[in-house]
């Protein structure tokens, strides 16, 4: 079976979930309009025609307003070199960080791997990838 789309649900305890269908090509989605310091439950179902697969859920506490102002996203992330079994990422240095965590996993499933690097680092080569 080929997944046609995904059904993403987001809700807080006791509230009606917000539901959104996402195309199967979507690998990242930002949920907007959430309240600070609130626990949300996020569920996603793969959709096959008119049938939804089993749900995968997680709960997450949103940051406080002051935490959101202090934590900056890493910017200008790009792939700068692609090898047969590796590729190199580069990014712009983020002021005030104590380090960076780089995580990766195979697109079609497999174990996630990660590496911590120092705050002075602005590039990393992900090694030992499948061709």
């Amino acid at each position: 079976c080929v997944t046609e789309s995904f059904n993403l649900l987001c809700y807080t305890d006791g509230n009606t979930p917000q539901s959104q269908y996402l195309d199967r090509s979507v690998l990242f989605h930002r949920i907007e309009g959430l309240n600070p310091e609130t626990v949300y439950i996020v569920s996603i179902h793969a959709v096959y025609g008119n049938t939804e697969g089993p749900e995968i859920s997680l709960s997450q506490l949103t940051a406080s307003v002051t935490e959101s102002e202090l934590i900056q996203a890493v910017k200008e992330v790009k792939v700068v070199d692609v090898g047969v079994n590796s590729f190199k990422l580069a990014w712009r240095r983020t002021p005030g960080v104590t380090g960076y965590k780089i995580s990766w996993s195979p697109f079609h499933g497999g174990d996630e791997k990660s590496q911590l690097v120092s705050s002075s680092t602005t590039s990393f080569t992900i090694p030992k990838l499948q061709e």
Side-chain angles (χ1 to χ4, degrees):
C1 287
V2 175
T3 303
E4 294 179 3
S5 63
F6 296 97
N7 182 10
L8 179 73
L9 295 109
C10 178
Y11 55 95
T12 59
D13 289 335
N15 288 342
T16 304
Q18 298 174 357
S19 179
Q20 184 168 4
Y21 284 91
L22 305 172
D23 186 77
R24 69 179 179 193
S25 63
V26 174
L27 301 177
F28 171 87
H29 179 72
R30 181 180 303 274
I31 302 170
E32 300 286 348
L34 302 180
N35 296 319
E37 296 184 62
T38 304
V39 175
Y40 285 88
I41 300 169
V42 179
S43 299
I44 189 165
H45 302 257
V47 178
Y48 304 92
N50 293 329
T51 305
E52 289 187 2
E55 90 175 16
I56 300 296
S57 295
L58 62 88
S59 62
Q60 180 63 51
L61 174 68
T62 53
S64 70
V65 174
T66 55
E67 287 174 332
S68 296
E69 292 169 357
L70 295 174
I71 300 171
Q72 298 180 29
V74 178
K75 296 186 176 156
E76 298 179 29
V77 178
K78 56 190 167 200
V79 176
V80 294
D81 188 31
V82 177
V84 174
N85 297 99
S86 66
F87 61 83
K88 184 176 183 176
L89 300 172
W91 57 89
R92 189 174 80 190
R93 183 172 283 125
T94 306
V97 302
T98 57
Y100 300 95
K101 179 180 178 184
I102 298 100
S103 300
W104 64 95
S105 62
F107 179 74
H108 295 292
D111 293 335
E112 179 179 282
K113 296 179 182 170
S114 64
Q115 177 71 45
L116 293 174
V117 297
S118 74
S119 61
S120 63
T121 304
T122 58
S123 67
F124 179 77
T125 300
I126 298 175
K128 300 179 184 174
L129 299 174
Q130 288 183 319
E131 295 178 2

